[in-house]
Amino acid sequence: MYRNNRLSLAVSIAMGASFAGMANAAIEEVIVTATKTSASTQDIAVAVSAITSEKLDQMGVANFEDYLIQLPGVTAGGSGPGQNTIYIRGVASTTPNLTTAGVAGLAPNVALYLDEQPLSQPGRNLDVYAADMNRIEVLSGPQGTLFGASSQAGTVRLITNKPDPTDTYGRVKVGISKTAKGEASNSIEAMFNMPVNDKLTVRGVVYRDDQGGYIDNVHGTVTALESARFREAGTMRSNGVAVSDLRAGFQTQTYIDSIQGLSYQENRVPLDPTDPASYALVDFQEADNSALVEDDFNDAMYEGFRIGALVDLNEDWSLLLGYGHQDLETDGVFQADPNLGTDSPSVQRFSPDTLEDSFDNINWKLEGRIGALDIVYAGAYTKRETDQVVDYTDYLFVGQYLPYYICDTTVTYPEYNYYNPGYASNIPAGTCYAPDTYVESYSETTVSTHELRFTTDQDKSIRATGGAFYSDLELQERVNFRYPGMTQANFWNLYDGADSPLNLPFDDGFLSQTGAFERDTIFRNDIKRTDEQVGVFGEVTFDLNDEFSFTAGARWYDVRVDMEGGANSSFGNFFQGQDVNAFGTNITDLYDGDGKLTFIGDSKLATRITFEDGVTFDEVKAALTAADGFSVGRGSVANAPNAISDVEITGILNALKAPDEAKTSGTIVKATLNWTPNENVLFYGTYSEGFRPGLLNRPGGASNAAGYTVPFELMTDEVTNYEFGWKTDLLNGQLRFNGSAFFVEIENLQTTIFDPSIANLFFSDNAANAEVTGVETDFILALDSLQGLTISGGMSILDTEITKVLTPTDDVVKGDSLAFAPEFQANLQARYEWALSSGFVAHVMPHVAHSDKSYSDIIRMNRDEIQGWTMVGITAGITGETWGAELFVDNLTDQRAELSRNFVNDRERVSYARPRTMGMRLTYNF
């Protein structure tokens, strides 16, 4: 039977730590697999932090947010359970958002692993519930030589407890709690381990965690008058960034002045929200959320199970099999509006918000020995489905075209009022209906991974680890943008919205659903993305003498990202009286690599001309002029719909050379020099590289009036890391003090941008070069003179800076800090245990965590300050051989701790930590 006995012993120690009493003889050795082999954290030259199973229990860690708060140097952006992205050491640029999740999402730059399986996904990581975990490992800095493309800034590994053939036992954990001005929560987790015979051991865990809400949906109203379409240049956003002339609303004086010479539209009379006389003839109907008002509406429920089987095939080989399923369901949202002035975190939502997020995971690991080599083959298959409904009313505040769909055209295009008898030309008049828009998002993701690796004898003076890796991800995403007000609007007196033409998908390429859309579905993104990665890796360590060793590592990689489908629009349908499939993006046509493109940037069907590579600018312009000379003429004055400009014609020529996929290949390296002056001290210096692959942009080729063009393909961004670290056990093993100092250079930093003046879809660009300088430390102190007291903590100091702006925009500024990069983070815990006469061990543990302020984005327009916070908590309880009970208070001072912010829709939205929560946890061991 093949098994690493040292690791098995460590697992047993960790499992028994709850019953270990007060002895401080030595600080526990933590065994990790951060180097693909089992080793003590103190013996490896890697900046790795490990939250052990004992610490997970002590801190009540269960989900993503819980363990995030315990890790200085680790932050996250996102919008709630199942919708977060991890960042390490401040290597971050952007705020994740629903519509950037999935197909448009950047590849993560921090890998998330469940045991041997990489689970990182674009836009939104799996939110794996921390049931029956042995530890959580956080590897800071580039780990790409061993862990691949998504390990550019680090790796987070969730390590589960494995079947244990030494005994039959189980455990039940129950928790109840109440959140201040919020709802009650409850949880239960049951684990059972059993050797079936001398060849087979099984272990399973089931769990359910029902988390009560704490954010209120309060009453509010909103009208289309607040749309960006009517917002004048110079208007100051709440994040301190003024609206530029380029982004002035289409019905403002600034915009009208910019289009003089553009037929008809130059005569518009501006609509000014600050001047009621300018909209005296417009009825702005309210969206009113009275029917949705609810206290504590953001509930979440995790439910699932995991089962594993260990099969001892013979003395040298074993097979580990696992299957897990999890359902995550949420109602409401987990971001609040900080400007409502309410006692509890609150927001105003105008459509119901729901999320159903489930995944199934099958995994296997064959482990054994061939001669002197230890061999591991690990594979996994994961299928994830998300079904989400999101209130989209906030898009109103940036969406210039939204009123076109929910207002009578006599309001939004008054220059054409001659179609409507009785309306004065150029003066807005009519009705704008309620802007209670929403989004339906469905995605299905499958990921298969395979890794084959070998390890030589780790006791030899020359030792190596090497192998090959393959992964294949397919993500299908269908997003419907529903505008109910559209069915009431009158379009040029031709018909009301209820009788408007149905919108149809593009008829070529990928379709997850055929047939006409629901009538109020204004846009649909129906896209399939595939990411394929191949890698060959290795590390070799040479002992130079008794004190010095040198490690060299490298990884060759090849990553390919493809995309097909359509981002479909209904713009132009209402005037033409039929579906013209204009102004969207036919992604299949754009990225098929055939050197051909059918033009869809105009409402007239006569312009549906297919151009081929080699055609000249003049030939394209002549063909489009013959088909629609009116629009080409308008294009000489402005860059607008149904105005075919020279910029747009150049875009056609560029699109003929668009790639068929985003692909990158290359080699990254790592080198480390270790110095071990004695058995209790390790110093190391490391040079390491990391990378993140690019992707294709859905609106590739789109341009604005300033001449910026969305790139078709996003380039790889790369990091170079220089690091000095130390691992020390001092004071005869009573103090452990580890840390590292590092300098990181980032080239071609990727970011996601939402700028409706360029495109109505999120797109990505290589925005900047940047630098990160920092120090991280952690310690454990357990003095023999203070029996029963253990003090532990950690801190992170960061200095991040954009050193060069690459994207041609004023929205990225040299000298700005990176996103989600607090200058200082720290936590501290002090646990005191003492024996009771009954044989139980009592404990009390106060703890505190702190984070400085940071920012949500590097794009100034979308950037907002995340305020700093300090949270305090305390636990107290008793533990015996079979059962334990613990009382706890988290966020004792009821701090509104800001974990993340979002300003993508020009509105402040804050993800807060859960308010003060008091409860009890019970455990029973058998």
Side-chain angles (χ1 to χ4, degrees):
M1 178 177 66
Y2 177 78
R3 185 171 299 108
N4 189 309
N5 291 328
R6 190 181 188 194
L7 179 58
S8 299
L9 177 60
V11 171
S12 300
I13 291 172
M15 289 174 50
S18 297
F19 326 121
M22 318 177 306
N24 282 16
I27 296 173
E28 178 189 353
E29 181 182 44
V30 179
I31 305 299
V32 296
T33 50
T35 57
K36 301 278 187 176
T37 59
S38 299
S40 167
T41 56
Q42 299 305 101
D43 294 337
I44 56 175
V46 176
V48 55
S49 301
I51 307 178
T52 64
S53 59
E54 179 183 13
K55 195 64 167 286
L56 292 170
D57 285 343
Q58 290 174 1
M59 303 301 297
V61 171
N63 61 12
F64 189 92
E65 179 182 313
D66 293 336
Y67 56 80
L68 173 71
I69 293 172
Q70 305 306 320
L71 299 168
V74 182
T75 56
S79 52
Q83 303 172 79
N84 290 297
T85 297
I86 306 170
Y87 303 113
I88 293 179
R89 289 185 174 176
V91 183
S93 63
T94 191
T95 304
N97 185 275
L98 162 76
T99 45
T100 66
V103 295
L106 301 176
N109 68 358
V110 173
L112 176 67
Y113 271 68
L114 179 62
D115 292 318
E116 298 278 352
Q117 317 148 50
L119 295 178
S120 303
Q121 297 180 9
R124 53 170 99 192
N125 274 314
L126 279 176
D127 195 342
V128 180
Y129 192 81
D132 196 28
M133 288 288 166
N134 178 262
R135 64 190 182 277
I136 296 175
E137 297 178 5
V138 179
L139 287 63
S140 300
Q143 308 295 327
T145 51
L146 289 180
F147 292 98
S150 288
S151 298
Q152 180 195 55
T155 301
V156 175
R157 306 181 68 220
L158 310 180
I159 309 299
T160 62
N161 283 313
K162 306 303 186 294
D164 176 10
T166 63
D167 201 359
T168 297
Y169 54 88
R171 189 182 197 197
V172 177
K173 295 198 299 184
V174 177
I176 55 172
S177 63
K178 176 67 168 62
T179 297
K181 298 179 182 177
E183 293 181 324
S185 302
N186 60 83
S187 64
I188 184 169
E189 175 186 328
M191 177 277 295
F192 185 66
N193 182 92
M194 182 179 69
V196 177
N197 53 45
D198 60 354
K199 294 289 186 181
L200 175 64
T201 304
V202 296
R203 186 185 187 104
V205 61
V206 296
Y207 55 89
R208 178 188 173 97
D209 191 345
D210 194 348
Q211 301 177 355
Y214 53 89
I215 295 176
D216 299 338
N217 191 25
V218 299
H219 179 254
T221 61
V222 65
T223 73
L225 183 61
E226 297 184 56
S227 168
R229 188 180 187 91
F230 311 121
R231 186 175 58 182
E232 183 57 273
T235 302
M236 188 62 66
R237 299 179 177 91
S238 62
N239 69 342
V241 178
V243 176
S244 66
D245 288 355
L246 192 63
R247 298 180 180 117
F250 292 154
Q251 290 185 247
T252 65
Q253 190 65 62
T254 297
Y255 179 80
I256 293 169
D257 290 344
S258 74
I259 58 173
Q260 293 303 301
L262 183 63
S263 177
Y264 299 108
Q265 292 183 24
E266 64 185 5
N267 298 315
R268 284 180 182 170
V269 174
L271 193 157
D272 181 359
T274 67
D275 179 13
S278 70
Y279 56 90
L281 301 178
V282 181
D283 177 17
F284 285 101
Q285 296 190 1
E286 291 182 338
D288 188 319
N289 71 347
S290 295
L292 298 175
V293 169
E294 181 184 353
D295 290 342
D296 312 320
F297 82 138
N298 62 319
D299 304 311
M301 192 270 287
Y302 294 81
E303 191 173 46
F305 67 90
R306 191 174 64 246
I307 187 168
L310 176 63
V311 182
D312 291 323
L313 302 175
N314 56 40
E315 288 297 318
D316 289 330
W317 290 87
S318 65
L319 176 65
L320 182 64
L321 301 171
Y323 172 71
H325 173 84
Q326 178 176 291
D327 292 314
L328 167 62
E329 296 182 5
T330 69
D331 291 319
V333 293
F334 293 78
Q335 293 183 322
D337 183 341
N339 300 306
L340 292 177
T342 54
D343 290 338
S344 299
S346 301
V347 72
Q348 293 172 338
R349 304 293 281 185
F350 295 86
S351 296
D353 294 90
T354 62
L355 169 66
E356 296 178 2
D357 183 352
S358 65
F359 71 86
D360 292 275
N361 173 263
I362 303 170
N363 57 86
W364 53 93
K365 181 180 179 181
L366 180 64
E367 190 173 12
R369 181 178 291 115
I370 299 178
L373 297 179
D374 294 335
I375 305 295
V376 173
Y377 162 58
Y381 174 81
T382 302
K383 181 177 181 180
R384 181 188 192 185
E385 293 184 54
T386 67
D387 195 351
Q388 188 167 17
V389 179
V390 180
D391 175 39
Y392 202 52
T393 306
D394 280 359
Y395 176 68
L396 171 76
F397 307 122
V398 293
Q400 295 237 36
Y401 286 102
L402 188 148
Y404 164 74
Y405 298 99
I406 64 171
C407 299
D408 297 337
T409 50
T410 50
V411 177
T412 52
Y413 289 91
E415 60 270 26
Y416 299 114
N417 279 358
Y418 53 79
Y419 283 100
N420 296 72
Y423 287 84
S425 293
N426 303 313
I427 299 175
T431 302
C432 280
Y433 296 92
D436 48 352
T437 58
Y438 64 98
V439 169
E440 299 170 326
S441 175
Y442 174 80
S443 69
E444 183 175 308
T445 308
T446 58
V447 186
S448 60
T449 62
H450 304 271
E451 180 171 292
L452 178 65
R453 67 176 184 267
F454 70 88
T455 305
T456 64
D457 188 341
Q458 296 298 293
D459 292 328
K460 299 292 186 181
S461 60
I462 300 177
R463 47 200 179 275
T465 297
F469 173 82
Y470 173 79
S471 71
D472 183 23
L473 177 147
E474 179 180 286
L475 168 58
Q476 299 181 16
E477 184 176 67
R478 181 177 66 251
V479 183
N480 294 324
F481 296 84
R482 306 287 296 269
Y483 293 11
M486 166 263 172
T487 62
Q488 304 174 67
N490 180 279
F491 295 94
W492 288 286
N493 206 34
L494 300 175
Y495 38 71
D496 291 330
D499 300 315
S500 63
L502 291 172
N503 202 8
L504 297 166
F506 296 113
D507 58 6
D508 59 344
F510 170 76
L511 285 176
S512 68
Q513 191 175 80
T514 59
F517 309 163
E518 295 291 334
R519 194 173 296 276
D520 65 353
T521 297
I522 299 300
F523 306 99
R524 172 180 286 179
N525 298 335
D526 196 5
I527 303 170
K528 179 174 73 173
R529 168 175 169 170
T530 57
D531 293 35
E532 186 178 38
Q533 180 182 163
V534 178
V536 178
F537 60 90
E539 285 192 356
V540 181
T541 298
F542 304 86
D543 288 337
L544 305 178
N545 55 38
D546 289 342
E547 295 186 2
F548 288 92
S549 64
F550 178 75
T551 299
R555 187 185 190 96
W556 172 85
Y557 60 87
D558 184 275
V559 183
R560 298 171 184 266
V561 181
D562 200 3
M563 196 179 290
E564 60 176 310
N568 183 273
S569 168
S570 61
F571 192 89
N573 293 0
F574 308 123
F575 184 77
Q576 297 296 328
Q578 60 179 316
D579 181 46
V580 294
N581 266 331
F583 302 109
T585 302
N586 187 337
I587 294 170
T588 298
D589 186 27
L590 179 61
Y591 294 120
D592 60 5
D594 66 353
K596 300 179 182 180
L597 183 77
T598 300
F599 180 67
I600 59 173
D602 186 70
S603 294
K604 286 194 174 181
L605 293 175
T607 62
R608 297 298 179 271
I609 302 170
T610 300
F611 298 100
E612 296 189 23
D613 193 17
V615 68
T616 67
F617 179 95
D618 291 338
E619 289 171 339
V620 173
K621 189 167 186 176
L624 292 174
T625 300
D628 187 1
F630 177 76
S631 290
V632 174
R634 284 160 51 88
S636 65
V637 179
N639 185 29
N642 293 315
I644 304 174
S645 66
D646 287 355
V647 170
E648 194 163 4
I649 293 172
T650 300
I652 295 171
L653 298 176
N654 292 337
L656 294 174
K657 300 182 184 299
D660 62 339
E661 60 184 4
K663 51 190 175 183
T664 183
S665 62
T667 302
I668 56 173
V669 298
K670 176 181 179 180
T672 299
L673 180 65
N674 299 343
W675 177 36
T676 311
N678 60 61
E679 63 180 2
N680 295 317
V681 177
L682 166 66
F683 298 105
Y684 65 90
T686 294
Y687 169 89
S688 56
E689 299 173 343
F691 75 100
R692 173 171 51 175
L695 72 154
L696 300 173
N697 267 315
R698 294 176 297 170
S703 303
N704 68 358
Y708 174 81
T709 300
V710 176
F712 295 102
E713 180 181 3
L714 193 65
M715 292 190 298
T716 297
D717 59 2
E718 300 173 342
V719 303
T720 304
N721 177 62
Y722 306 87
E723 184 169 342
F724 169 75
W726 61 93
K727 306 284 184 78
T728 62
D729 284 332
L730 308 173
L731 302 179
N732 294 319
Q734 299 175 87
L735 171 64
R736 176 169 295 166
F737 179 56
N738 298 340
S740 62
F742 51 87
F743 174 70
V744 182
E745 294 178 315
I746 308 168
E747 294 185 358
N748 299 317
L749 177 66
Q750 299 174 2
T751 193
T752 298
I753 302 169
F754 182 56
D755 187 348
S757 74
I758 301 172
N760 283 323
L761 295 171
F762 282 84
F763 59 90
S764 299
D765 200 355
N766 297 98
N769 294 342
E771 294 177 351
V772 179
T773 304
V775 176
E776 297 170 341
T777 64
D778 62 79
F779 76 94
I780 303 174
L781 177 66
L783 296 174
D784 291 340
S785 59
L786 295 172
Q787 286 289 314
L789 178 64
T790 302
I791 301 173
S792 60
M795 74 166 191
S796 165
I797 299 173
L798 290 176
D799 180 19
T800 66
E801 181 181 6
I802 293 173
T803 56
K804 183 178 181 180
V805 177
L806 303 179
T807 189
T809 176
D810 294 333
D811 288 317
V812 180
V813 178
K814 182 179 178 180
D816 276 357
S817 63
L818 296 179
F820 299 100
E823 291 185 0
F824 179 72
Q825 287 180 288
N827 64 33
L828 182 68
Q829 306 91 37
R831 184 179 178 91
Y832 180 63
E833 298 181 350
W834 67 98
L836 301 176
S837 59
S838 60
F840 286 89
V841 174
H843 69 267
V844 61
M845 185 179 73
H847 53 89
V848 60
H850 171 81
S851 177
D852 274 356
K853 71 178 183 180
S854 59
Y855 293 90
S856 65
D857 216 301
I858 66 168
I859 304 296
R860 281 284 183 98
M861 180 177 66
N862 300 330
R863 180 179 174 94
D864 203 10
E865 181 180 313
I866 304 170
Q867 297 180 10
W869 50 265
T870 301
M871 284 196 292
V872 177
I874 188 169
T875 66
I878 58 173
T879 304
E881 295 228 352
T882 58
W883 66 271
E886 182 175 65
L887 301 175
F888 67 91
V889 183
D890 292 332
N891 197 357
L892 179 64
T893 59
D894 205 18
Q895 174 84 201
R896 285 204 185 177
E898 297 190 3
L899 302 182
S900 178
R901 271 193 180 233
N902 187 314
F903 199 77
V904 169
N905 289 318
D906 283 8
R907 287 297 184 273
E908 295 173 73
R909 296 293 180 259
V910 183
S911 295
Y912 291 110
R914 183 174 285 272
R916 181 175 59 245
T917 299
M918 297 183 290
M920 174 183 288
R921 292 186 282 261
L922 302 173
T923 60
Y924 177 69
N925 300 277
F926 57 91

